[in-house]
Amino acid sequence: MTGNWHNEITSQAATWPHNFPLGAATKPDLETNFGSFQQQVFQWRDWADDKGLALTFAIRHVSGTVQSIPTHLTVPDLDTAVSLLDTQWKHRIQRGRAHAKQLAASFPQVADLGKILRAVDGYSDTDFDLLCSSAEWFMHNTASGLTPRQVPIEGLHAKWLDSHQALLKTLTGTDDLGLLSRHPQRLHFTYLDSEYRAAGGRTHDSATVGDPMAPPYCPETVIISENKDTAIHFPSLRKAISVEGAGFGGAGACASFGWITSCQHLIYWGDMDASGFEIVDLFRRSGVPVSTILMDLDAYQTYERFGSATDSRGNPLTVSVRKNLRCLTGPERALYEQLTDPDWARVRRVEQERIPLVVALAAVQSRPGPAM
């Protein structure tokens, strides 16, 4: 019943009455432990009589005697089954039936009502009411030209709508709610060339994926920083641009701009923790051939004293599950494997902000050849 209750509520599964097997002991077990089995038989009979349920018996030959042993318990219907379970199941079936009644009345065209019941099983009353009111709105109105944030439904939030679109499409019987697609990603970056800035050029700029854009000078060096503050305040550097990497979300955006991917010196600088190396691996797999600075054991040992053992909420950092990061270099992998070693007793995060920017600048300037 636990896997099919949603269909049973909607009469999409004819499972009642149902015979539940009680298990069948082997002949040697019966003969060796017959006293214990006989006590169980008495208990099953008393319990079934008390609940008004029927038992199915089978004739077994035990040590030269003929015994009637129960093999199955017959439960006639869903309500009886629920009465034998805990109150959580009683509430689940009651809630499911109430949901089914409301959904069937409001959305009679829906074919697989049971599937929806299962999907909304954990919904609060507020979420379920919002789902129904939103679906009814989409059935009678058009959202063409609107973003999720602009849909005029009381109590509706854009994030809620984004995460519930699949159910809304099922209830409304449409493949498209008419909403505008999410806006394309944007990159934010800082021009580091002092001559350009001294001539009155802008310091900060942005570019939108899919919208052609070329910076005012062709960068010889691009430094992608995991953290925003580091990118914005990176020191002046000739023909260089500092890009806000935006963590895991920035790889695809950076890959969309040729002036980044084809740059002679393309550098990534992030935190020395498990996520930092996972981001490096993602950038490379996304077509952004970065090399790294200050993300190896030497840098870790130098700045370990500034490391952190807790997250932003003060909770202890846990050991990250080690992943197969195929795109790391040898020095990067050496530190990553230490940081993801359960027996590693040292700090598991050194944030890049704790390293002086002049040190990062020197690391960039000391690189002898083109980046990866």
Side-chain angles (χ1 to χ4, degrees), residues 186-190 206-209 213-215 217-225 240-245 250-268 283 286-291 371-372:
R186 289 179 178 175
L187 278 183
H188 297 275
F189 46 92
T190 301
S206 64
T208 301
V209 173
M213 182 274 173
Y217 56 84
C218 183
E220 297 176 358
T221 303
V222 170
I223 304 127
I224 303 172
S225 291
I241 294 177
S242 178
V243 177
E244 298 170 29
C254 287
S256 301
F257 295 95
W259 58 267
I260 293 180
T261 58
S262 63
C263 183
Q264 181 183 17
H265 298 279
L266 180 55
I267 297 167
Y268 187 90
F283 266 78
S286 299
V288 188
V290 293
S291 60
M372 289 177 57

mmCIF file of all heavy atoms in Angstrom, residues 186-190 206-209 213-215 217-225 240-245 250-268 283 286-291 371-372:
data_model
loop_
_atom_site.group_PDB
_atom_site.id
_atom_site.type_symbol
_atom_site.label_atom_id
_atom_site.label_comp_id
_atom_site.label_asym_id
_atom_site.label_seq_id
_atom_site.Cartn_x
_atom_site.Cartn_y
_atom_site.Cartn_z
ATOM 1 N N ARG A 186 24.662 37.145 -17.020
ATOM 2 C CA ARG A 186 25.490 38.319 -17.231
ATOM 3 C C ARG A 186 26.816 38.160 -16.511
ATOM 4 O O ARG A 186 26.877 37.571 -15.432
ATOM 5 C CB ARG A 186 24.783 39.577 -16.719
ATOM 6 C CG ARG A 186 23.595 39.997 -17.560
ATOM 7 C CD ARG A 186 22.935 41.236 -16.993
ATOM 8 N NE ARG A 186 21.815 41.676 -17.822
ATOM 9 C CZ ARG A 186 20.997 42.677 -17.502
ATOM 10 N NH1 ARG A 186 21.166 43.321 -16.362
ATOM 11 N NH2 ARG A 186 20.016 43.014 -18.322
ATOM 12 N N LEU A 187 27.829 38.683 -17.140
ATOM 13 C CA LEU A 187 29.147 38.740 -16.515
ATOM 14 C C LEU A 187 29.402 40.154 -16.029
ATOM 15 O O LEU A 187 29.076 41.127 -16.720
ATOM 16 C CB LEU A 187 30.238 38.378 -17.528
ATOM 17 C CG LEU A 187 30.537 36.907 -17.804
ATOM 18 C CD1 LEU A 187 31.710 36.820 -18.778
ATOM 19 C CD2 LEU A 187 30.874 36.179 -16.524
ATOM 20 N N HIS A 188 30.013 40.273 -14.871
ATOM 21 C CA HIS A 188 30.436 41.567 -14.352
ATOM 22 C C HIS A 188 31.959 41.550 -14.241
ATOM 23 O O HIS A 188 32.538 40.558 -13.779
ATOM 24 C CB HIS A 188 29.797 41.842 -13.003
ATOM 25 C CG HIS A 188 28.297 41.927 -13.064
ATOM 26 N ND1 HIS A 188 27.631 43.084 -13.380
ATOM 27 C CD2 HIS A 188 27.340 40.977 -12.891
ATOM 28 C CE1 HIS A 188 26.316 42.861 -13.379
ATOM 29 N NE2 HIS A 188 26.119 41.589 -13.091
ATOM 30 N N PHE A 189 32.578 42.625 -14.664
ATOM 31 C CA PHE A 189 34.035 42.632 -14.664
ATOM 32 C C PHE A 189 34.565 44.050 -14.458
ATOM 33 O O PHE A 189 33.826 45.044 -14.537
ATOM 34 C CB PHE A 189 34.596 42.023 -15.952
ATOM 35 C CG PHE A 189 33.940 42.497 -17.218
ATOM 36 C CD1 PHE A 189 34.426 43.580 -17.915
ATOM 37 C CD2 PHE A 189 32.819 41.830 -17.719
ATOM 38 C CE1 PHE A 189 33.833 44.009 -19.084
ATOM 39 C CE2 PHE A 189 32.219 42.248 -18.896
ATOM 40 C CZ PHE A 189 32.728 43.341 -19.579
ATOM 41 N N THR A 190 35.871 44.110 -14.177
ATOM 42 C CA THR A 190 36.549 45.363 -13.870
ATOM 43 C C THR A 190 37.762 45.516 -14.779
ATOM 44 O O THR A 190 38.559 44.587 -14.927
ATOM 45 C CB THR A 190 37.008 45.382 -12.394
ATOM 46 O OG1 THR A 190 35.857 45.234 -11.548
ATOM 47 C CG2 THR A 190 37.716 46.683 -12.058
ATOM 48 N N SER A 206 29.706 45.193 -17.751
ATOM 49 C CA SER A 206 29.007 43.904 -17.754
ATOM 50 C C SER A 206 28.724 43.494 -19.183
ATOM 51 O O SER A 206 28.742 44.317 -20.098
ATOM 52 C CB SER A 206 27.697 43.982 -16.960
ATOM 53 O OG SER A 206 26.794 44.876 -17.578
ATOM 54 N N ALA A 207 28.473 42.221 -19.364
ATOM 55 C CA ALA A 207 28.137 41.682 -20.681
ATOM 56 C C ALA A 207 27.094 40.599 -20.510
ATOM 57 O O ALA A 207 27.132 39.842 -19.538
ATOM 58 C CB ALA A 207 29.382 41.121 -21.371
ATOM 59 N N THR A 208 26.155 40.524 -21.433
ATOM 60 C CA THR A 208 25.063 39.557 -21.367
ATOM 61 C C THR A 208 25.309 38.448 -22.392
ATOM 62 O O THR A 208 25.633 38.727 -23.554
ATOM 63 C CB THR A 208 23.718 40.238 -21.660
ATOM 64 O OG1 THR A 208 23.510 41.277 -20.707
ATOM 65 C CG2 THR A 208 22.575 39.229 -21.560
ATOM 66 N N VAL A 209 25.138 37.213 -21.969
ATOM 67 C CA VAL A 209 25.324 36.073 -22.862
ATOM 68 C C VAL A 209 24.348 36.178 -24.037
ATOM 69 O O VAL A 209 23.143 36.393 -23.837
ATOM 70 C CB VAL A 209 25.107 34.743 -22.104
ATOM 71 C CG1 VAL A 209 25.130 33.558 -23.070
ATOM 72 C CG2 VAL A 209 26.164 34.560 -21.026
ATOM 73 N N MET A 213 29.423 41.688 -27.462
ATOM 74 C CA MET A 213 30.096 42.727 -26.702
ATOM 75 C C MET A 213 31.599 42.500 -26.783
ATOM 76 O O MET A 213 32.076 41.372 -26.642
ATOM 77 C CB MET A 213 29.639 42.683 -25.239
ATOM 78 C CG MET A 213 30.236 43.739 -24.325
ATOM 79 S SD MET A 213 31.829 43.281 -23.622
ATOM 80 C CE MET A 213 32.271 44.825 -22.809
ATOM 81 N N ALA A 214 32.340 43.559 -27.028
ATOM 82 C CA ALA A 214 33.793 43.502 -27.023
ATOM 83 C C ALA A 214 34.307 44.577 -26.082
ATOM 84 O O ALA A 214 33.834 45.726 -26.116
ATOM 85 C CB ALA A 214 34.354 43.716 -28.427
ATOM 86 N N PRO A 215 35.245 44.249 -25.219
ATOM 87 C CA PRO A 215 35.791 45.264 -24.308
ATOM 88 C C PRO A 215 36.566 46.321 -25.080
ATOM 89 O O PRO A 215 36.972 46.096 -26.230
ATOM 90 C CB PRO A 215 36.704 44.449 -23.390
ATOM 91 C CG PRO A 215 37.053 43.231 -24.167
ATOM 92 C CD PRO A 215 35.875 42.929 -25.032
ATOM 93 N N TYR A 217 39.532 47.302 -24.918
ATOM 94 C CA TYR A 217 40.865 46.855 -25.309
ATOM 95 C C TYR A 217 40.898 45.330 -25.217
ATOM 96 O O TYR A 217 40.185 44.717 -24.431
ATOM 97 C CB TYR A 217 41.966 47.473 -24.445
ATOM 98 C CG TYR A 217 41.834 47.241 -22.952
ATOM 99 C CD1 TYR A 217 42.305 46.068 -22.347
ATOM 100 C CD2 TYR A 217 41.258 48.213 -22.135
ATOM 101 C CE1 TYR A 217 42.206 45.872 -20.977
ATOM 102 C CE2 TYR A 217 41.141 48.021 -20.765
ATOM 103 C CZ TYR A 217 41.625 46.851 -20.185
ATOM 104 O OH TYR A 217 41.510 46.663 -18.829
ATOM 105 N N CYS A 218 41.704 44.737 -26.075
ATOM 106 C CA CYS A 218 41.817 43.287 -26.085
ATOM 107 C C CYS A 218 42.703 42.858 -24.921
ATOM 108 O O CYS A 218 43.905 43.177 -24.909
ATOM 109 C CB CYS A 218 42.403 42.821 -27.408
ATOM 110 S SG CYS A 218 42.512 41.019 -27.544
ATOM 111 N N PRO A 219 42.155 42.148 -23.952
ATOM 112 C CA PRO A 219 42.950 41.835 -22.765
ATOM 113 C C PRO A 219 44.038 40.799 -23.057
ATOM 114 O O PRO A 219 43.821 39.821 -23.765
ATOM 115 C CB PRO A 219 41.912 41.282 -21.786
ATOM 116 C CG PRO A 219 40.838 40.716 -22.652
ATOM 117 C CD PRO A 219 40.784 41.609 -23.859
ATOM 118 N N GLU A 220 45.204 41.062 -22.507
ATOM 119 C CA GLU A 220 46.273 40.072 -22.548
ATOM 120 C C GLU A 220 46.194 39.139 -21.347
ATOM 121 O O GLU A 220 46.748 38.035 -21.376
ATOM 122 C CB GLU A 220 47.632 40.781 -22.578
ATOM 123 C CG GLU A 220 47.840 41.638 -23.823
ATOM 124 C CD GLU A 220 49.150 42.409 -23.779
ATOM 125 O OE1 GLU A 220 49.879 42.291 -22.755
ATOM 126 O OE2 GLU A 220 49.443 43.135 -24.744
ATOM 127 N N THR A 221 45.514 39.606 -20.291
ATOM 128 C CA THR A 221 45.348 38.810 -19.081
ATOM 129 C C THR A 221 43.906 38.945 -18.598
ATOM 130 O O THR A 221 43.375 40.056 -18.512
ATOM 131 C CB THR A 221 46.295 39.269 -17.956
ATOM 132 O OG1 THR A 221 47.641 39.204 -18.410
ATOM 133 C CG2 THR A 221 46.129 38.402 -16.709
ATOM 134 N N VAL A 222 43.285 37.816 -18.316
ATOM 135 C CA VAL A 222 41.966 37.798 -17.675
ATOM 136 C C VAL A 222 42.090 36.993 -16.395
ATOM 137 O O VAL A 222 42.539 35.847 -16.412
ATOM 138 C CB VAL A 222 40.889 37.181 -18.595
ATOM 139 C CG1 VAL A 222 39.592 36.948 -17.802
ATOM 140 C CG2 VAL A 222 40.610 38.089 -19.777
ATOM 141 N N ILE A 223 41.706 37.611 -15.272
ATOM 142 C CA ILE A 223 41.733 36.937 -13.976
ATOM 143 C C ILE A 223 40.294 36.724 -13.538
ATOM 144 O O ILE A 223 39.548 37.692 -13.335
ATOM 145 C CB ILE A 223 42.484 37.760 -12.921
ATOM 146 C CG1 ILE A 223 43.893 38.085 -13.399
ATOM 147 C CG2 ILE A 223 42.531 37.009 -11.596
ATOM 148 C CD1 ILE A 223 44.221 39.551 -13.331
ATOM 149 N N ILE A 224 39.892 35.480 -13.445
ATOM 150 C CA ILE A 224 38.538 35.142 -12.975
ATOM 151 C C ILE A 224 38.640 34.813 -11.491
ATOM 152 O O ILE A 224 39.370 33.897 -11.092
ATOM 153 C CB ILE A 224 37.962 33.946 -13.746
ATOM 154 C CG1 ILE A 224 37.947 34.240 -15.246
ATOM 155 C CG2 ILE A 224 36.553 33.620 -13.250
ATOM 156 C CD1 ILE A 224 37.573 33.033 -16.103
ATOM 157 N N SER A 225 37.928 35.571 -10.670
ATOM 158 C CA SER A 225 37.963 35.372 -9.219
ATOM 159 C C SER A 225 36.656 34.761 -8.739
ATOM 160 O O SER A 225 35.572 35.156 -9.181
ATOM 161 C CB SER A 225 38.197 36.700 -8.493
ATOM 162 O OG SER A 225 39.501 37.184 -8.731
ATOM 163 N N ALA A 240 44.682 44.145 -18.660
ATOM 164 C CA ALA A 240 44.057 43.046 -17.910
ATOM 165 C C ALA A 240 42.613 43.395 -17.554
ATOM 166 O O ALA A 240 42.234 44.568 -17.437
ATOM 167 C CB ALA A 240 44.847 42.742 -16.644
ATOM 168 N N ILE A 241 41.811 42.354 -17.376
ATOM 169 C CA ILE A 241 40.419 42.487 -16.935
ATOM 170 C C ILE A 241 40.184 41.473 -15.829
ATOM 171 O O ILE A 241 40.603 40.314 -15.927
ATOM 172 C CB ILE A 241 39.433 42.245 -18.104
ATOM 173 C CG1 ILE A 241 39.569 43.348 -19.153
ATOM 174 C CG2 ILE A 241 37.995 42.176 -17.589
ATOM 175 C CD1 ILE A 241 38.680 43.140 -20.371
ATOM 176 N N SER A 242 39.507 41.904 -14.782
ATOM 177 C CA SER A 242 39.189 41.039 -13.657
ATOM 178 C C SER A 242 37.705 40.694 -13.707
ATOM 179 O O SER A 242 36.849 41.586 -13.690
ATOM 180 C CB SER A 242 39.526 41.755 -12.340
ATOM 181 O OG SER A 242 39.190 40.961 -11.227
ATOM 182 N N VAL A 243 37.406 39.403 -13.780
ATOM 183 C CA VAL A 243 36.029 38.930 -13.972
ATOM 184 C C VAL A 243 35.498 38.305 -12.686
ATOM 185 O O VAL A 243 36.208 37.554 -12.011
ATOM 186 C CB VAL A 243 35.968 37.891 -15.114
ATOM 187 C CG1 VAL A 243 34.555 37.330 -15.266
ATOM 188 C CG2 VAL A 243 36.434 38.505 -16.418
ATOM 189 N N GLU A 244 34.248 38.620 -12.354
ATOM 190 C CA GLU A 244 33.582 37.991 -11.207
ATOM 191 C C GLU A 244 33.104 36.609 -11.635
ATOM 192 O O GLU A 244 32.199 36.481 -12.459
ATOM 193 C CB GLU A 244 32.418 38.852 -10.737
ATOM 194 C CG GLU A 244 32.846 40.235 -10.260
ATOM 195 C CD GLU A 244 31.682 41.166 -10.014
ATOM 196 O OE1 GLU A 244 30.577 40.664 -9.677
ATOM 197 O OE2 GLU A 244 31.858 42.394 -10.158
ATOM 198 N N GLY A 245 33.722 35.571 -11.072
ATOM 199 C CA GLY A 245 33.454 34.209 -11.528
ATOM 200 C C GLY A 245 32.105 33.654 -11.142
ATOM 201 O O GLY A 245 31.600 32.728 -11.778
ATOM 202 N N GLY A 250 29.259 30.565 -13.026
ATOM 203 C CA GLY A 250 29.926 31.433 -13.973
ATOM 204 C C GLY A 250 30.599 30.741 -15.134
ATOM 205 O O GLY A 250 30.977 31.398 -16.115
ATOM 206 N N ALA A 251 30.765 29.428 -15.068
ATOM 207 C CA ALA A 251 31.516 28.731 -16.109
ATOM 208 C C ALA A 251 30.870 28.886 -17.479
ATOM 209 O O ALA A 251 31.537 29.213 -18.470
ATOM 210 C CB ALA A 251 31.654 27.255 -15.750
ATOM 211 N N GLY A 252 29.582 28.632 -17.566
ATOM 212 C CA GLY A 252 28.895 28.726 -18.852
ATOM 213 C C GLY A 252 28.919 30.121 -19.420
ATOM 214 O O GLY A 252 29.082 30.310 -20.633
ATOM 215 N N ALA A 253 28.756 31.123 -18.561
ATOM 216 C CA ALA A 253 28.775 32.503 -19.037
ATOM 217 C C ALA A 253 30.145 32.870 -19.572
ATOM 218 O O ALA A 253 30.266 33.464 -20.657
ATOM 219 C CB ALA A 253 28.364 33.440 -17.903
ATOM 220 N N CYS A 254 31.205 32.533 -18.844
ATOM 221 C CA CYS A 254 32.562 32.859 -19.314
ATOM 222 C C CYS A 254 32.869 32.157 -20.631
ATOM 223 O O CYS A 254 33.540 32.713 -21.504
ATOM 224 C CB CYS A 254 33.582 32.456 -18.246
ATOM 225 S SG CYS A 254 33.605 33.549 -16.799
ATOM 226 N N ALA A 255 32.365 30.929 -20.780
ATOM 227 C CA ALA A 255 32.621 30.174 -22.005
ATOM 228 C C ALA A 255 31.975 30.812 -23.225
ATOM 229 O O ALA A 255 32.335 30.491 -24.361
ATOM 230 C CB ALA A 255 32.126 28.741 -21.837
ATOM 231 N N SER A 256 31.032 31.723 -23.023
ATOM 232 C CA SER A 256 30.307 32.332 -24.139
ATOM 233 C C SER A 256 31.031 33.518 -24.756
ATOM 234 O O SER A 256 30.583 34.045 -25.771
ATOM 235 C CB SER A 256 28.917 32.787 -23.654
ATOM 236 O OG SER A 256 28.164 31.695 -23.151
ATOM 237 N N PHE A 257 32.139 33.935 -24.166
ATOM 238 C CA PHE A 257 32.831 35.118 -24.652
ATOM 239 C C PHE A 257 34.233 34.756 -25.122
ATOM 240 O O PHE A 257 35.087 34.333 -24.339
ATOM 241 C CB PHE A 257 32.888 36.187 -23.562
ATOM 242 C CG PHE A 257 31.533 36.717 -23.190
ATOM 243 C CD1 PHE A 257 30.831 36.182 -22.119
ATOM 244 C CD2 PHE A 257 30.932 37.722 -23.937
ATOM 245 C CE1 PHE A 257 29.574 36.651 -21.792
ATOM 246 C CE2 PHE A 257 29.681 38.197 -23.616
ATOM 247 C CZ PHE A 257 28.988 37.661 -22.547
ATOM 248 N N GLY A 258 34.465 34.957 -26.431
ATOM 249 C CA GLY A 258 35.743 34.605 -27.017
ATOM 250 C C GLY A 258 36.898 35.401 -26.456
ATOM 251 O O GLY A 258 38.028 34.905 -26.383
ATOM 252 N N TRP A 259 36.676 36.662 -26.065
ATOM 253 C CA TRP A 259 37.774 37.459 -25.531
ATOM 254 C C TRP A 259 38.257 36.934 -24.181
ATOM 255 O O TRP A 259 39.347 37.291 -23.730
ATOM 256 C CB TRP A 259 37.392 38.936 -25.442
ATOM 257 C CG TRP A 259 36.185 39.275 -24.597
ATOM 258 C CD1 TRP A 259 34.903 39.403 -25.029
ATOM 259 C CD2 TRP A 259 36.176 39.549 -23.191
ATOM 260 N NE1 TRP A 259 34.064 39.745 -23.968
ATOM 261 C CE2 TRP A 259 34.835 39.844 -22.831
ATOM 262 C CE3 TRP A 259 37.147 39.587 -22.200
ATOM 263 C CZ2 TRP A 259 34.450 40.161 -21.529
ATOM 264 C CZ3 TRP A 259 36.770 39.910 -20.897
ATOM 265 C CH2 TRP A 259 35.438 40.188 -20.573
ATOM 266 N N ILE A 260 37.445 36.034 -23.589
ATOM 267 C CA ILE A 260 37.892 35.366 -22.365
ATOM 268 C C ILE A 260 38.578 34.058 -22.709
ATOM 269 O O ILE A 260 39.718 33.813 -22.328
ATOM 270 C CB ILE A 260 36.707 35.110 -21.413
ATOM 271 C CG1 ILE A 260 36.138 36.427 -20.875
ATOM 272 C CG2 ILE A 260 37.134 34.208 -20.245
ATOM 273 C CD1 ILE A 260 34.971 36.257 -19.939
ATOM 274 N N THR A 261 37.892 33.201 -23.445
ATOM 275 C CA THR A 261 38.421 31.851 -23.700
ATOM 276 C C THR A 261 39.702 31.855 -24.529
ATOM 277 O O THR A 261 40.510 30.929 -24.445
ATOM 278 C CB THR A 261 37.363 30.983 -24.397
ATOM 279 O OG1 THR A 261 36.955 31.607 -25.614
ATOM 280 C CG2 THR A 261 36.148 30.791 -23.495
ATOM 281 N N SER A 262 39.896 32.899 -25.356
ATOM 282 C CA SER A 262 41.089 32.948 -26.213
ATOM 283 C C SER A 262 42.186 33.823 -25.632
ATOM 284 O O SER A 262 43.220 34.028 -26.285
ATOM 285 C CB SER A 262 40.713 33.453 -27.610
ATOM 286 O OG SER A 262 40.210 34.778 -27.541
ATOM 287 N N CYS A 263 41.994 34.329 -24.446
ATOM 288 C CA CYS A 263 42.984 35.222 -23.846
ATOM 289 C C CYS A 263 44.301 34.483 -23.606
ATOM 290 O O CYS A 263 44.323 33.319 -23.180
ATOM 291 C CB CYS A 263 42.442 35.783 -22.534
ATOM 292 S SG CYS A 263 43.544 36.975 -21.751
ATOM 293 N N GLN A 264 45.413 35.178 -23.849
ATOM 294 C CA GLN A 264 46.731 34.559 -23.730
ATOM 295 C C GLN A 264 47.004 34.086 -22.300
ATOM 296 O O GLN A 264 47.510 32.991 -22.083
ATOM 297 C CB GLN A 264 47.816 35.557 -24.160
ATOM 298 C CG GLN A 264 49.227 34.988 -24.100
ATOM 299 C CD GLN A 264 50.280 36.007 -24.463
ATOM 300 O OE1 GLN A 264 50.017 37.208 -24.463
ATOM 301 N NE2 GLN A 264 51.481 35.541 -24.779
ATOM 302 N N HIS A 265 46.682 34.910 -21.325
ATOM 303 C CA HIS A 265 46.874 34.572 -19.922
ATOM 304 C C HIS A 265 45.500 34.530 -19.248
ATOM 305 O O HIS A 265 44.958 35.563 -18.860
ATOM 306 C CB HIS A 265 47.768 35.595 -19.223
ATOM 307 C CG HIS A 265 49.153 35.663 -19.782
ATOM 308 N ND1 HIS A 265 50.147 34.774 -19.461
ATOM 309 C CD2 HIS A 265 49.701 36.528 -20.678
ATOM 310 C CE1 HIS A 265 51.247 35.072 -20.113
ATOM 311 N NE2 HIS A 265 51.009 36.144 -20.866
ATOM 312 N N LEU A 266 44.959 33.347 -19.135
ATOM 313 C CA LEU A 266 43.617 33.159 -18.564
ATOM 314 C C LEU A 266 43.768 32.459 -17.215
ATOM 315 O O LEU A 266 44.170 31.291 -17.152
ATOM 316 C CB LEU A 266 42.749 32.341 -19.513
ATOM 317 C CG LEU A 266 41.314 32.043 -19.073
ATOM 318 C CD1 LEU A 266 40.561 33.327 -18.740
ATOM 319 C CD2 LEU A 266 40.588 31.263 -20.147
ATOM 320 N N ILE A 267 43.456 33.170 -16.148
ATOM 321 C CA ILE A 267 43.795 32.718 -14.797
ATOM 322 C C ILE A 267 42.534 32.630 -13.946
ATOM 323 O O ILE A 267 41.644 33.495 -14.030
ATOM 324 C CB ILE A 267 44.801 33.694 -14.151
ATOM 325 C CG1 ILE A 267 46.098 33.697 -14.962
ATOM 326 C CG2 ILE A 267 45.077 33.321 -12.693
ATOM 327 C CD1 ILE A 267 47.036 34.826 -14.609
ATOM 328 N N TYR A 268 42.478 31.591 -13.130
ATOM 329 C CA TYR A 268 41.400 31.460 -12.148
ATOM 330 C C TYR A 268 42.007 31.468 -10.746
ATOM 331 O O TYR A 268 43.014 30.793 -10.488
ATOM 332 C CB TYR A 268 40.610 30.163 -12.341
ATOM 333 C CG TYR A 268 39.390 30.094 -11.446
ATOM 334 C CD1 TYR A 268 38.167 30.595 -11.879
ATOM 335 C CD2 TYR A 268 39.471 29.571 -10.154
ATOM 336 C CE1 TYR A 268 37.052 30.572 -11.054
ATOM 337 C CE2 TYR A 268 38.367 29.548 -9.327
ATOM 338 C CZ TYR A 268 37.163 30.049 -9.774
ATOM 339 O OH TYR A 268 36.070 30.036 -8.949
ATOM 340 N N PHE A 283 34.990 24.848 -14.857
ATOM 341 C CA PHE A 283 35.375 25.846 -15.861
ATOM 342 C C PHE A 283 36.104 25.189 -17.021
ATOM 343 O O PHE A 283 35.814 25.460 -18.191
ATOM 344 C CB PHE A 283 36.253 26.922 -15.214
ATOM 345 C CG PHE A 283 35.489 28.131 -14.751
ATOM 346 C CD1 PHE A 283 34.755 28.094 -13.574
ATOM 347 C CD2 PHE A 283 35.487 29.295 -15.489
ATOM 348 C CE1 PHE A 283 34.049 29.200 -13.135
ATOM 349 C CE2 PHE A 283 34.775 30.410 -15.075
ATOM 350 C CZ PHE A 283 34.050 30.367 -13.888
ATOM 351 N N SER A 286 33.925 23.212 -19.218
ATOM 352 C CA SER A 286 32.981 24.061 -19.947
ATOM 353 C C SER A 286 33.644 24.801 -21.097
ATOM 354 O O SER A 286 32.986 25.581 -21.792
ATOM 355 C CB SER A 286 32.338 25.065 -18.984
ATOM 356 O OG SER A 286 31.624 24.402 -17.957
ATOM 357 N N GLY A 287 34.951 24.584 -21.283
ATOM 358 C CA GLY A 287 35.636 25.232 -22.395
ATOM 359 C C GLY A 287 36.341 26.516 -22.028
ATOM 360 O O GLY A 287 36.653 27.330 -22.911
ATOM 361 N N VAL A 288 36.604 26.719 -20.729
ATOM 362 C CA VAL A 288 37.338 27.899 -20.273
ATOM 363 C C VAL A 288 38.670 27.400 -19.718
ATOM 364 O O VAL A 288 38.757 26.974 -18.566
ATOM 365 C CB VAL A 288 36.550 28.663 -19.184
ATOM 366 C CG1 VAL A 288 37.240 29.980 -18.860
ATOM 367 C CG2 VAL A 288 35.118 28.918 -19.639
ATOM 368 N N PRO A 289 39.748 27.434 -20.532
ATOM 369 C CA PRO A 289 41.010 26.761 -20.186
ATOM 370 C C PRO A 289 41.871 27.548 -19.208
ATOM 371 O O PRO A 289 42.972 28.000 -19.526
ATOM 372 C CB PRO A 289 41.690 26.613 -21.542
ATOM 373 C CG PRO A 289 41.228 27.805 -22.317
ATOM 374 C CD PRO A 289 39.805 28.036 -21.887
ATOM 375 N N VAL A 290 41.391 27.682 -17.993
ATOM 376 C CA VAL A 290 42.089 28.486 -16.994
ATOM 377 C C VAL A 290 43.283 27.743 -16.414
ATOM 378 O O VAL A 290 43.323 26.514 -16.349
ATOM 379 C CB VAL A 290 41.129 28.858 -15.841
ATOM 380 C CG1 VAL A 290 40.053 29.805 -16.319
ATOM 381 C CG2 VAL A 290 40.523 27.615 -15.195
ATOM 382 N N SER A 291 44.280 28.524 -15.998
ATOM 383 C CA SER A 291 45.287 28.041 -15.057
ATOM 384 C C SER A 291 44.985 28.721 -13.728
ATOM 385 O O SER A 291 44.194 29.668 -13.671
ATOM 386 C CB SER A 291 46.698 28.368 -15.552
ATOM 387 O OG SER A 291 46.857 29.772 -15.704
ATOM 388 N N ALA A 371 48.535 31.038 -20.336
ATOM 389 C CA ALA A 371 47.736 30.151 -19.476
ATOM 390 C C ALA A 371 47.336 28.920 -20.258
ATOM 391 O O ALA A 371 47.525 28.823 -21.470
ATOM 392 C CB ALA A 371 46.498 30.886 -18.968
ATOM 393 N N MET A 372 46.729 27.959 -19.519
ATOM 394 C CA MET A 372 46.284 26.719 -20.152
ATOM 395 C C MET A 372 45.245 27.027 -21.238
ATOM 396 O O MET A 372 44.440 27.896 -21.079
ATOM 397 C CB MET A 372 45.674 25.782 -19.116
ATOM 398 C CG MET A 372 46.693 25.176 -18.178
ATOM 399 S SD MET A 372 45.875 24.146 -16.941
ATOM 400 C CE MET A 372 45.015 22.997 -17.989
#
